[in-house]
Amino acid sequence: MKELPKAYNPRDVEDKWYQYWESNNFFHATVDKRKTPYTIVIPPPNITGSLTMGHVLNNTIQDILIRWRRMQGYEACWIPGTDHAGIATQSAVEKALEKEGLKRHDLGREKFVERVWQWKEQYGGTIIKQLRKLGASCDWQRERFTLDEGLSEAVKEVFVRMFEKGLIYRGKYIVNWCTFHQTALSDDEVDYVETNGNLWHFKYPIEGTDEFVIVATTRPETMLGDTAVAVNPRDERYRHLVGKNAILPLVGRKLPIIADDYVDETFGSGMVKVTPAHDPNDFLMGQRHHLEQVNIFDEKGYLNTSVPKQYVGIERFACRKQVVKDLEAQGYLLKVEPHTHNIGRCYRCHTIIEPYLSDQWFVRMKPLAEPALRVVQEGKIRFHPERWEKVYEHWMNNIRDWCISRQIWWGHRIPVYYASDGQLTAARDEHEARTKLGLDPGAPIRQDDDVLDTWFSSWLWPFSILGWPRDSKDLRYFNPTDTLVTGPDIIFFWVARMIMANMEFLNGEPRFDGKPRTKDEELVPFRDVYFTSMIRDLQGRKMSKSLGNSPDPLDVIEEYGADALRFTVAFLSPLGQDVLFSSDKCEIGRNFANKIWNAGRFLLMNKTELEGSVHDEEIEHVPEEHLDLADRWILSRLHHAVRDFNAALGEFHLNESSKILYDFIWHNFCDWYVELVKTRFYGDEPVDVKRVVLRRALWIFDRALRLLHPMMPFVTEELWQHLADRKGKTIMRAPFPTVDQRWIDQKTEDDMAFVQDVINAVRNIRGENNISPSKDITVQVRCADTARAAIVNTYGSYLKKLGRVSAIETLTTSVKPKLASSAVVNGTEIFVPLEGLIDLDAERSRLEKEIARLQQVLEGIERKLGNASFVERAPKEVVEREREKQASFKTNIEKLKANLVQLSS
RNA sequence: GGACGCUUAGCUCAGCUGGUUCAGAGCGCCGCCCUUACAAGGCGGAGGUCGAAGGUUCGAAUCCUUCAGCGUCCACCA
């Protein structure tokens, strides 16, 4: 065997193993009825993006879960893919065109969409490639795209079914209009930014009187579209005005004065100008009072011809200035006050959103929301952390219809067809449309120009990628999926809608075993939703390109290794809390990988040493001969670790589960077990016993690697391949360790804890007295009882090796050695004779400090026991335990005190 | 305006259903060590009245109330 380098170098191994796994199809899952499926669908990243720390966290978690379940024997399937990201992608391509001096209209729809596809082929796979560097074990053969043929089919099917069921309708509605993209945006696509603006107060004359109404607005230009003035019906001040008309300055339109509860009589003048075409609340008021809707803008935000001609064609913010100026000139401006309010901006281009009245397609959400809310409330889908359920509930109870049309070209074109007479229908293709509309094959027919909101394909993701609407074995087997791992920021965009879609459209689909799906239970798209942490920088700011505080994960992988990055983010990710990250934190993972590497190196070196020519066969079962305390202890710790790890990961406590492995491997296996195994390797036991000890250590290490593999796939595979002849095999498909209660043993752990305490006491004496590690010392021990004496006698070699002790003497009389440093462990006294070495003052203060510490604890105990109501009311076991503690502390303190006296004499 | 979350060592955070020397880990810091797996390491050590004030309880970092600071989401009043 060739020598392994002293330090682990991820660059030497990562790509090699990834290629090995992928080329051997180890990631691929197939329908296997003997196994239970475990499925995760990836939240499809945008084709415009590249890998961010957010993706790293999200996909590391998915990979950990998938690898873990795969090793546990599930048919684990992780389906990857990308999202076409309508607006984002179209913008990216338009930007590229701009450099050529072109606009999309110069190319025309067909050519432009072709360009976007070209762009997608070139750049769209960036993240997918980068995920491989991270070690993601996605089933690449199943990779999908939200605009590929299968998904198109699903989208059309869904649209037509909903249309036929009356769940989709077309309507005039106030939408959030982005004047840059010239498209409607859903409510979720609008960002509100607190902005300093003005509140302008105007007066409008009242018809046939000398009176005025006083109204205020933050958007003066919209007054050109005013069609009413409203007051609160309870407002005594204005009751007499209701029913009269105001006259709109600059325009001359009569504005009825109406009474509506929406108006807050305590705000401003208590009068509100009503602009139904340009304000969502005014729109609703307009509907209640059948007001005229005057749309004053065109699609780009310029004034249209429904306003007086001097304003036609002016840009909206220029118009604002002009209107204010004109009103002021005519004496209608009362005052201007500074006013802070939230302004909606496009989440892509940050253009100020214009509430805009236009024809759009909508999905009726109420009927879909009800069952989707219920399955979460009934626990058929569980959110982690749970508190997101409340957020979900609130949204679902106040759900609004979903505007699904977008006035762009890149996306699923709305499958609605119009005959020349204006009749329309939804259809899967033109042929079907003609039939439905009763048109001849040659008759003119036109498809809707708009495309669907990107989320209209994403919400079908968990079943469309499995072949729906066609009958598919995959669908029946892998859906419902098991775990969804995503950010809480898209709980409404995506998570809620997937639940609705799965419930609505899979209703009636058979299961893989042929049985009909039971109501609800089998209709959910997934059973657990894990909401990931938000990655922030060390100042707690969001990672963002503009701040430049987002490390490039590929650089981090290059510097620290993928395993280090993966382990570190898992280690830092508490459930439901943000993560403050900087790349140097990856030292945690890198150092850990190196630690494991060297533990493996140690075992392999001894393997060469002890077995001469290397036996490269598997060690199937743990060798049970020649067990000593350390062996039984590490086996107990191992099974504890397996049990605790499974429990923690099962609850999605990533940080806890990684900590369990860290502690087991580093602080149990390396710090103690490996050191104790050395006492046997270098001791005088027969070589065949040493071989058993070695093979046991190898077996345990093998299990540790398996445990760690989901978190650190590369280093574990590399070492695992070295441990035995594993040609053609892979650790990623080796069975995950299971818990064997037989090995979990409290007595063993207690005995070992005693040994460790004794060793720690000796180390403490050495450290505090500044005795060089190279200086041998002798130790005298007076044991509290025969059981402890037996342990000390049997495992003195442990103390000798780890305490660097040359000789141990057991004291039988009560005589105390002179000039010795001392300690007490559970009544067992330890003396280290230090003639000539000891610093008496230092030793005295060390003992005094220890006595004071114990004294403090004892006082606490005695205070408790002195409290009559504690003794009376606390459970018996608790009181009893306190009594035992009291006795034990007392003896320890007495012994230390005696030692102190001895030292001073 | 509404909902939720956070506040524990210099820094980043664990501490689940109140009770085992419950006040912990990693990093940083101090001291001693290149001991034949590992200096990306080993051993020892110093550091905190658990945000504030009340309350419940025999007992509170843990449960309740109020307050302060920070953060997230929702709504958006002209």
Side-chain angles (χ1 to χ4, degrees):
Chain A
M1 173 183 303
K2 61 176 192 282
E3 285 274 304
L4 299 175
K6 220 171 153 181
Y8 173 60
N9 186 357
R11 283 183 291 272
D12 292 345
V13 305
E14 291 184 350
D15 291 345
K16 171 183 76 181
W17 290 120
Y18 199 87
Q19 278 162 24
Y20 173 72
W21 295 329
E22 195 175 357
S23 61
N24 281 284
N25 264 338
F26 290 145
F27 302 152
H28 188 50
T30 52
V31 175
D32 181 346
K33 291 186 184 170
R34 292 161 307 177
K35 291 163 96 180
T36 309
Y38 178 82
T39 317
I40 295 179
V41 295
I42 206 169
N46 290 356
I47 49 172
T48 53
S50 56
L51 201 68
T52 64
M53 282 308 303
H55 293 118
V56 166
L57 174 64
N58 182 261
N59 289 289
T60 295
I61 292 168
Q62 292 175 71
D63 197 44
I64 289 169
L65 293 171
I66 274 286
R67 286 179 184 268
W68 175 51
R69 292 302 192 191
R70 191 185 287 124
M71 290 173 77
Q72 284 187 327
Y74 291 83
E75 188 63 16
C77 185
W78 183 14
I79 307 175
T82 47
D83 191 289
H84 68 280
I87 293 177
T89 308
Q90 174 152 337
S91 303
V93 175
E94 282 182 309
K95 227 176 243 171
L97 281 177
E98 235 169 75
K99 286 185 187 145
E100 302 169 28
L102 291 172
K103 300 210 159 203
R104 67 174 151 129
H105 291 279
D106 299 333
L107 293 182
R109 183 170 193 141
E110 209 172 308
K111 281 255 157 54
F112 178 78
V113 170
E114 221 169 86
R115 277 294 289 260
V116 185
W117 276 106
Q118 283 168 14
W119 186 93
K120 188 254 172 190
E121 291 313 316
Q122 199 173 345
Y123 304 107
T126 305
I127 287 191
I128 292 301
K129 283 189 209 112
Q130 291 171 326
L131 283 176
R132 288 175 159 89
K133 292 294 282 184
L134 190 63
S137 63
C138 299
D139 189 348
W140 298 111
Q141 294 173 41
R142 296 179 182 275
E143 184 181 340
R144 301 301 295 270
F145 178 50
T146 54
L147 209 52
D148 68 22
E149 254 175 60
L151 267 78
S152 288
E153 199 179 332
V155 163
K156 282 181 215 159
E157 181 68 28
V158 159
F159 191 98
V160 172
R161 279 197 202 178
M162 291 177 89
F163 183 86
E164 285 169 352
K165 218 174 154 181
L167 287 172
I168 282 184
Y169 65 93
R170 197 165 110 107
K172 270 220 185 298
Y173 205 79
I174 285 270
V175 294
N176 306 297
W177 186 265
C178 173
T179 55
F180 177 80
H181 287 108
Q182 292 170 41
T183 181
L185 300 177
S186 70
D187 290 341
D188 316 292
E189 289 168 327
V190 178
D191 293 332
Y192 288 91
V193 184
E194 192 166 280
T195 311
N196 295 321
N198 289 319
L199 189 59
W200 283 272
H201 297 257
F202 301 125
K203 56 180 189 180
Y204 294 172
I206 298 172
E207 190 183 36
T209 71
D210 299 330
E211 287 183 275
F212 294 91
V213 296
I214 296 162
V215 297
T217 181
T218 54
R219 296 187 301 150
E221 69 282 10
T222 63
M223 63 86 67
L224 298 172
D226 283 0
T227 57
V229 170
V231 299
N232 190 290
R234 287 183 310 272
D235 194 334
E236 301 287 348
R237 294 173 297 173
Y238 305 125
R239 190 167 284 168
H240 66 288
L241 295 178
V242 176
K244 294 187 174 168
N245 291 320
I247 303 294
L248 185 62
L250 309 182
V251 179
R253 183 159 49 232
K254 283 187 188 177
L255 308 178
I257 297 171
I258 59 171
D260 195 286
D261 283 325
Y262 163 74
V263 180
D264 176 359
E265 63 266 41
T266 64
F267 188 90
S269 65
M271 294 174 166
V272 181
K273 64 191 263 311
V274 184
T275 321
H278 296 288
D279 181 282
N281 289 306
D282 292 5
F283 173 77
L284 294 173
M285 238 190 300
Q287 285 191 321
R288 285 196 287 272
H289 299 275
H290 309 288
L291 299 176
E292 196 186 346
Q293 300 168 335
V294 179
N295 182 356
I296 61 170
F297 296 122
D298 68 11
E299 293 170 354
K300 293 176 188 166
Y302 288 70
L303 277 290
N304 65 21
T305 53
S306 55
V307 297
K309 59 179 178 300
Q310 68 268 31
Y311 302 111
V312 174
I314 304 180
E315 191 272 337
R316 54 184 170 150
F317 295 111
C319 180
R320 174 175 300 177
K321 283 188 188 140
Q322 192 58 46
V323 164
V324 170
K325 205 170 148 193
D326 294 347
L327 285 169
E328 187 174 17
Q330 296 178 30
Y332 295 115
L333 175 65
L334 286 176
K335 60 174 174 178
V336 187
E337 324 177 292
H339 183 72
T340 308
H341 60 141
N342 286 325
I343 291 186
R345 289 174 180 272
C346 173
Y347 81 128
R348 285 284 165 210
C349 65
H350 304 110
T351 300
I352 293 178
I353 291 302
E354 196 60 47
Y356 190 71
L357 196 63
S358 63
D359 283 319
Q360 302 290 343
W361 287 98
F362 293 88
V363 174
R364 267 183 235 289
M365 297 301 268
K366 264 246 136 51
L368 299 178
E370 278 163 18
L373 175 58
R374 191 161 36 79
V375 288
V376 171
Q377 285 173 332
E378 287 173 357
K380 302 209 166 89
I381 298 175
R382 298 194 309 148
F383 287 180
H384 308 269
E386 236 174 273
R387 71 184 137 89
W388 290 107
E389 287 177 12
K390 267 189 216 159
V391 177
Y392 177 82
E393 214 170 288
H394 182 257
W395 192 71
M396 295 299 257
N397 280 324
N398 296 285
I399 198 157
R400 306 220 291 228
D401 285 354
W402 175 17
C403 173
I404 51 170
S405 40
R406 295 290 182 276
Q407 289 67 44
I408 57 176
W409 288 345
W410 175 243
H412 294 279
R413 194 155 169 185
I414 292 180
V416 166
Y417 295 83
Y418 303 85
S420 49
D421 63 358
Q423 266 201 91
L424 62 88
T425 190
R428 290 163 187 83
D429 54 43
E430 199 178 298
H431 176 77
E432 186 185 322
R434 283 178 193 282
T435 313
K436 282 184 168 174
L437 291 167
L439 296 178
D440 297 331
I445 192 166
R446 184 177 62 81
Q447 187 175 356
D448 200 296
D449 282 328
D450 290 353
V451 301
L452 290 162
D453 179 11
T454 297
W455 299 102
F456 199 88
S457 47
S458 319
W459 78 321
L460 314 176
W461 188 246
F463 54 89
S464 61
I465 57 178
L466 288 166
W468 191 91
R470 290 163 195 253
D471 181 36
S472 142
K473 270 197 286 192
D474 283 347
L475 178 66
R476 297 187 207 167
Y477 185 69
F478 291 115
N479 180 287
T481 71
D482 290 273
T483 309
L484 178 75
V485 181
T486 191
D489 49 328
I490 53 175
I491 185 168
F492 309 134
F493 280 106
W494 195 46
V495 180
R497 288 175 185 159
M498 280 193 287
I499 298 172
M500 294 188 243
N502 221 84
M503 303 282 306
E504 172 72 16
F505 303 114
L506 264 64
N507 205 348
E509 303 280 345
R511 297 197 317 179
F512 73 89
D513 55 9
K515 290 185 210 150
R517 285 172 187 262
T518 58
K519 194 168 179 287
D520 295 348
E521 186 184 19
E522 297 297 329
L523 290 175
V524 297
F526 29 71
R527 307 185 196 284
D528 292 285
V529 184
Y530 176 90
F531 289 106
T532 55
S533 314
M534 176 93 85
I535 303 267
R536 300 173 172 279
D537 69 8
L538 292 182
Q539 281 88 53
R541 300 173 304 180
K542 276 189 188 179
M543 296 272 178
S544 80
K545 273 188 191 149
S546 53
L547 280 174
N549 59 350
S550 174
D552 182 340
L554 293 192
D555 294 344
V556 180
I557 289 172
E558 180 63 22
E559 186 177 356
Y560 296 94
D563 285 336
L565 176 59
R566 291 168 61 111
F567 187 83
T568 301
V569 296
F571 191 81
L572 294 175
S573 287
L575 184 59
Q577 255 10 79
D578 290 347
V579 173
L580 273 55
F581 180 87
S582 70
S583 44
D584 54 11
K585 292 216 171 191
C586 288
E587 286 180 14
I588 300 168
R590 183 200 58 184
N591 295 355
F592 188 39
N594 193 51
K595 189 73 182 175
I596 299 154
W597 178 256
N598 278 292
R601 238 161 48 86
F602 167 78
L603 293 176
L604 290 167
M605 283 162 74
N606 281 282
K607 189 176 171 186
T608 314
E609 180 84 8
L610 282 170
E611 301 194 339
S613 62
V614 177
H615 297 223
D616 269 345
E617 82 276 20
E618 284 276 8
I619 302 165
E620 296 284 352
H621 303 287
V622 59
E624 297 190 24
E625 311 88 57
H626 311 294
L627 288 166
D628 73 0
L629 179 61
D631 293 318
R632 289 196 308 272
W633 172 76
I634 196 68
L635 284 164
S636 185
R637 295 311 309 158
L638 170 68
H639 287 95
H640 266 295
V642 176
R643 189 185 64 189
D644 296 347
F645 177 84
N646 284 338
L649 198 51
E651 291 298 315
F652 304 100
H653 294 168
L654 272 292
N655 58 337
E656 202 181 319
S657 54
S658 48
K659 182 83 167 29
I660 288 163
L661 299 186
Y662 188 89
D663 284 341
F664 171 70
I665 292 173
W666 200 311
H667 298 308
N668 294 164
F669 188 81
C670 292
D671 286 354
W672 289 96
Y673 185 65
V674 166
E675 293 305 319
L676 294 177
V677 156
K678 284 179 185 173
T679 66
R680 305 185 78 182
F681 284 173
Y682 307 145
D684 45 18
E685 285 178 285
V687 81
D688 56 318
V689 174
K690 290 182 180 177
R691 282 188 187 139
V692 171
V693 172
L694 169 73
R695 293 168 70 78
R696 181 156 46 235
L698 285 169
W699 183 90
I700 292 162
F701 189 61
D702 174 291
R703 303 299 128 158
L705 291 179
R706 294 181 195 209
L707 275 176
L708 189 61
H709 178 260
M711 300 227 170
M712 304 182 99
F714 296 109
V715 68
T716 50
E717 180 78 282
E718 173 73 11
L719 284 168
W720 195 76
Q721 296 282 345
H722 283 292
L723 291 185
D725 180 12
R726 260 84 186 236
K727 275 206 183 59
K729 294 189 189 168
T730 174
I731 190 174
M732 61 171 283
R733 286 188 174 271
F736 200 73
T738 51
V739 183
D740 188 344
Q741 286 294 339
R742 198 162 59 98
W743 290 108
I744 296 183
D745 178 21
Q746 194 54 48
K747 170 80 166 57
T748 296
E749 301 217 7
D750 290 346
D751 287 353
M752 183 66 185
F754 170 69
V755 171
Q756 289 174 317
D757 285 345
V758 172
I759 291 168
N760 286 337
V762 173
R763 284 172 168 176
N764 177 267
I765 288 169
R766 190 190 277 277
E768 292 282 283
N769 281 289
N770 261 328
I771 302 159
S772 155
S774 57
K775 173 90 186 156
D776 273 342
I777 52 176
T778 59
V779 168
Q780 297 170 320
V781 183
R782 181 163 34 238
C783 292
D785 51 52
T786 52
R788 298 234 164 76
I791 293 171
V792 171
N793 284 332
T794 312
Y795 298 107
S797 58
Y798 290 4
L799 177 55
K800 284 182 180 169
K801 169 76 178 141
L802 271 63
R804 304 191 140 260
V805 169
S806 57
I808 302 166
E809 191 185 329
T810 312
L811 297 179
T812 47
T813 66
S814 60
V815 177
K816 288 183 185 298
K818 284 217 162 196
L819 281 181
S821 185
S822 62
V824 180
V825 174
N826 283 330
T828 292
E829 290 178 276
I830 294 152
F831 299 95
V832 179
L834 293 170
E835 204 136 7
L837 285 170
I838 196 165
D839 176 342
L840 278 178
D841 288 336
E843 178 61 12
R844 252 182 246 122
S845 75
R846 194 182 68 86
L847 287 181
E848 277 161 4
K849 207 172 64 180
E850 177 65 4
I851 290 167
R853 207 200 93 221
L854 296 178
Q855 200 85 48
Q856 223 176 5
V857 182
L858 180 64
E859 274 164 26
I861 296 168
E862 292 189 326
R863 216 174 308 129
K864 266 190 190 177
L865 287 170
N867 181 343
S869 43
F870 169 74
V871 180
E872 214 171 288
R873 307 178 75 153
K876 275 200 198 77
E877 315 87 74
V878 174
V879 177
E880 191 47 42
R881 205 158 46 216
E882 292 300 316
R883 291 226 163 91
E884 281 166 18
K885 270 157 59 181
Q886 181 189 32
S888 145
F889 275 87
K890 267 189 176 162
T891 42
N892 285 358
I893 289 168
E894 275 161 20
K895 285 176 179 172
L896 283 173
K897 277 185 173 165
N899 292 345
L900 187 59
V901 170
Q902 170 89 0
L903 214 52
S904 310
S905 64

